[in-house]
Amino acid sequence: MDETPGAGRAPLACLVTGATGYIGGRLVPDLLDAGHRVRCLARSPERLRDHPWADRVEIVRGDVTDEAGTTAALRGIDVAYYLVHSLNGGARFEESDRRAARTFAQAAHAAGVRRIVYLGGLVPADKPARELSPHLRSRAEVGEIFLRSPVPSTVLRAAVVIGSGSASFEMLRYLTERLPVMVTPSWVGTRVQPISVRDVLGYLVASARMPAETNRSFDIGGPDILTYEEMMRRYAEVAGLPPRLILRVPMLTPRLSSLWIGLVTPVPRALARPLAESLRHEVVCKEHDIALHVPDGPGHPLGFEESLRLALQRVREANVATRWSNASLPGAPSDPLPTDPSWAGGSLYTDHRSRDTAAGPPELWRIIEGIGGENGWYSAPLAWAVRGWLDRLAGGAGIRRGRRDAARLRVGDSLDFWRVEEIEPGRLLRLRAEMRLPGLAWLEMYADPRPRSGGSCYRQRALFHPRGFLGHLYWWSVSPFHAVVFGGMARNITRAAERLADQPEPEPEPAETSAPPEGGGAGLP
């Protein structure tokens, strides 16, 4: 389903609305890779500045409800992607969606746009609109507005999108990981046809070159039709969690379900309610006509379990710390983005410590780089030793591996029961835990200069990505000891750096002298 750049076809000018959202932020680089020119319309352009493609696109400030501004943004555009929704827009979100879609369609026609591409929701074919949830009803109405407009439109209709950051996937993730035993509403028995975010993006990119006469909707989905309960069970299996016990309770209404989801997960209730209401309806593709225009490539569309593995891959590769620590840039559509909501990407517990010190960054860095092994961990040595013994009993590496070099570290070095994952010499040391844990853990240590006041600032952060209920239980069971272990560590590292800075400079050794060669001084005849 991927377009090949430079395949003999002229690039298209594409406008992407919703580039700060889940799908839009992932679509832009795919359009660029396909050779297209991209303009983004955003109410808050500053939210796009951290993307790696920000300097390759034109970004204009605007709102799809402003016809004049939208018409100006659409001028010179061939294909307009409409990826905005008022999912949590309050009681009048249907009217907001309706008004915005009509404004956008009129502006696209006035600007001479050749095609509108819209990603909507899969709706049951046998249900009248009045019986649909407000969320699904609004999605369907927006699609109809575009199809009735003078601009040829492609309306893609998808159910649950599988990828880190997708609201429906995050709800699945949190419910499954946090609850080994679940009392669930009856909608967990509803059939759903999920689709990988990679396939969604492939269809969106290819839709830019639909034949001019095509003006219709297409159902898109993966090859598997599952109930929400089956998806939770398969998620547990792929994520390596124990089997989940699921008990259905029919009296849980969508409102009660959204309250329950809000209690158990960090997904906002304003999002949880429309999602829970939509899950009352069976959403299964009635056709696969998209393949007439976008032939399925080898292995596509992806199956549910493969989609899950890709969505969880970044976590399994132990790069989660990068995602949360510096908003690193993703390598695949299923990876997290800097603009994803704070509740996306799974749970991450953190312990932050920072201390100013009179020691300079070089002295502080020498202490940081020398940590572990014979130098120890600068706090609660008995606690570290006990943790090492317990790890050995559990079949782990323990704390006896020590260091390769007493003074220098490099990426990949083992360091007691840690592994060096990243080094920025003089500034950052990131360690990944290799002890037996119900999750993934990192320890970061920074030496930041303080040019105005002199000295430096030591920053320390412990991160833990729990796996399942036991992971959450583990964090909360050890967190009372963090003040002693991690607080003492920050305090003692800065003190050691200050002692090092106070040491007098060693006296230079006298330079060796040698007698001049016979016949005179050096260099003289």
Side-chain angles (χ1 to χ4, degrees):
M1 290 187 294
D2 296 329
E3 286 200 13
T4 302
R9 292 186 287 184
L12 300 172
C14 301
L15 177 82
V16 177
T17 65
T20 58
Y22 173 65
I23 294 294
R26 291 158 171 79
L27 175 62
V28 170
D30 282 12
L31 289 172
L32 292 170
D33 289 344
H36 300 309
R37 301 189 304 274
V38 178
R39 179 185 298 160
C40 296
L41 177 66
R43 285 186 294 181
S44 304
E46 59 275 6
R47 293 182 59 193
L48 298 176
R49 64 188 176 197
D50 289 332
H51 286 275
W53 42 258
D55 59 351
R56 300 171 58 199
V57 304
E58 180 186 357
I59 301 174
V60 295
R61 185 184 298 272
D63 192 301
V64 291
T65 60
D66 173 17
E67 185 171 358
T70 303
T71 302
L74 286 165
R75 195 164 291 122
I77 292 296
D78 299 307
V79 181
Y81 286 90
Y82 191 83
L83 303 172
V84 294
H85 298 286
S86 303
L87 184 60
N88 56 345
R92 299 180 60 84
F93 81 90
E94 288 185 85
E95 174 57 32
S96 298
D97 273 350
R98 184 181 304 118
R99 186 175 65 255
R102 287 173 177 166
T103 300
F104 192 82
Q106 292 166 4
H109 178 55
V113 172
R114 290 156 49 184
R115 177 164 299 280
I116 294 173
V117 181
Y118 169 64
L119 177 63
L122 193 59
V123 297
D126 57 345
K127 294 280 186 182
R130 66 178 181 274
E131 294 184 16
L132 296 176
S133 71
H135 167 54
L136 284 183
R137 185 169 59 237
S138 180
R139 293 284 183 103
E141 183 182 10
V142 168
E144 287 301 316
I145 290 171
F146 289 138
L147 292 175
R148 292 195 301 265
S149 76
V151 181
S153 298
T154 301
V155 175
L156 303 179
R157 306 192 302 186
V160 174
V161 177
I162 304 300
S164 182
S166 162
S168 50
F169 172 75
E170 294 299 339
M171 191 169 74
L172 171 72
R173 182 209 300 266
Y174 286 117
L175 289 176
T176 309
E177 290 191 350
R178 293 189 173 188
L179 297 176
V181 178
M182 286 179 265
V183 178
T184 62
S186 58
W187 51 250
V188 298
T190 303
R191 297 198 311 159
V192 180
Q193 190 165 353
I195 182 171
S196 167
V197 64
R198 299 187 181 212
D199 288 320
V200 172
L201 294 172
Y203 290 132
L204 285 169
V205 172
S207 292
R209 296 197 184 276
M210 285 275 184
E213 66 276 8
T214 302
N215 182 64
R216 59 160 294 183
S217 62
F218 297 92
D219 292 353
I220 57 173
D224 301 310
I225 299 173
L226 307 162
T227 66
Y228 209 83
E229 178 179 342
E230 289 172 329
M231 288 196 291
M232 288 191 285
R233 294 189 187 280
R234 292 200 187 183
Y235 181 101
E237 183 178 347
V238 171
L241 302 172
R244 273 27 201 161
L245 178 60
I246 299 174
L247 306 173
R248 297 190 199 177
V249 178
M251 71 280 299
L252 282 178
T253 65
R255 181 177 181 278
L256 290 175
S257 295
S258 64
L259 291 172
W260 170 67
I261 292 168
L263 178 66
V264 174
T265 80
V267 177
R269 187 162 62 90
L271 288 176
R273 181 162 186 174
L275 290 173
E277 288 176 336
S278 300
L279 287 169
R280 294 185 289 114
H281 305 296
E282 181 177 285
V283 280
V284 175
C285 296
K286 299 299 187 292
E287 42 84 8
H288 189 54
D289 294 349
I290 189 70
L292 299 175
H293 302 284
V294 189
D296 296 331
H300 287 272
L302 296 172
F304 178 69
E305 292 186 5
E306 179 62 19
S307 301
L308 281 180
R309 290 188 184 94
L310 292 171
L312 299 175
Q313 183 176 22
R314 179 58 63 107
V315 173
R316 292 188 171 209
E317 290 176 352
N319 290 324
V320 176
T322 312
R323 181 261 186 267
W324 275 283
S325 63
N326 58 11
S328 74
L329 304 168
S334 48
D335 293 338
L337 280 179
T339 51
D340 285 347
S342 59
W343 46 263
S347 300
L348 187 78
Y349 293 115
T350 61
D351 181 278
H352 296 260
R353 310 280 167 174
S354 66
R355 288 180 67 90
D356 292 337
T357 173
E363 291 79 20
L364 182 56
W365 177 250
R366 282 180 59 187
I367 299 300
I368 291 173
E369 193 177 13
I371 202 165
E374 294 297 324
N375 294 326
W377 293 88
Y378 291 91
S379 73
L382 180 59
W384 287 95
V386 169
R387 187 63 186 87
W389 299 333
L390 292 175
D391 191 54
R392 294 278 291 183
L393 289 174
I399 204 168
R400 298 191 302 177
R401 294 191 302 182
R403 301 172 51 105
R404 173 191 60 85
D405 185 284
R408 297 286 181 267
L409 291 174
R410 62 187 180 193
V411 172
D413 277 358
S414 62
L415 183 59
D416 295 332
F417 46 44
W418 303 88
R419 178 77 59 182
V420 179
E421 186 172 85
E422 184 175 348
I423 293 182
E424 293 180 23
R427 178 180 177 268
L428 164 66
L429 172 64
R430 177 181 295 135
L431 307 176
R432 185 182 73 244
E434 292 191 335
M435 64 192 82
R436 298 282 184 171
L437 290 170
L440 301 170
W442 295 263
L443 180 62
E444 296 177 339
M445 290 166 277
Y446 294 83
D448 293 333
R450 298 181 64 85
R452 290 186 179 180
S453 60
S456 56
C457 177
Y458 172 72
R459 290 192 297 119
Q460 174 184 295
R461 185 164 65 158
L463 305 99
F464 182 65
H465 180 80
R467 189 180 66 179
F469 176 73
L470 287 179
H472 294 277
L473 184 62
Y474 170 82
W475 175 265
W476 290 112
S477 67
V478 299
S479 58
F481 305 101
H482 287 171
V484 174
V485 176
F486 292 134
M489 186 175 174
R491 184 171 56 253
N492 293 330
I493 283 177
T494 53
R495 288 176 178 173
E498 289 168 356
R499 288 195 297 269
L500 183 63
D502 289 340
Q503 290 179 2
E505 292 285 339
E507 291 290 335
E509 295 182 5
E512 292 186 7
T513 57
S514 56
E518 293 182 9
L524 296 177

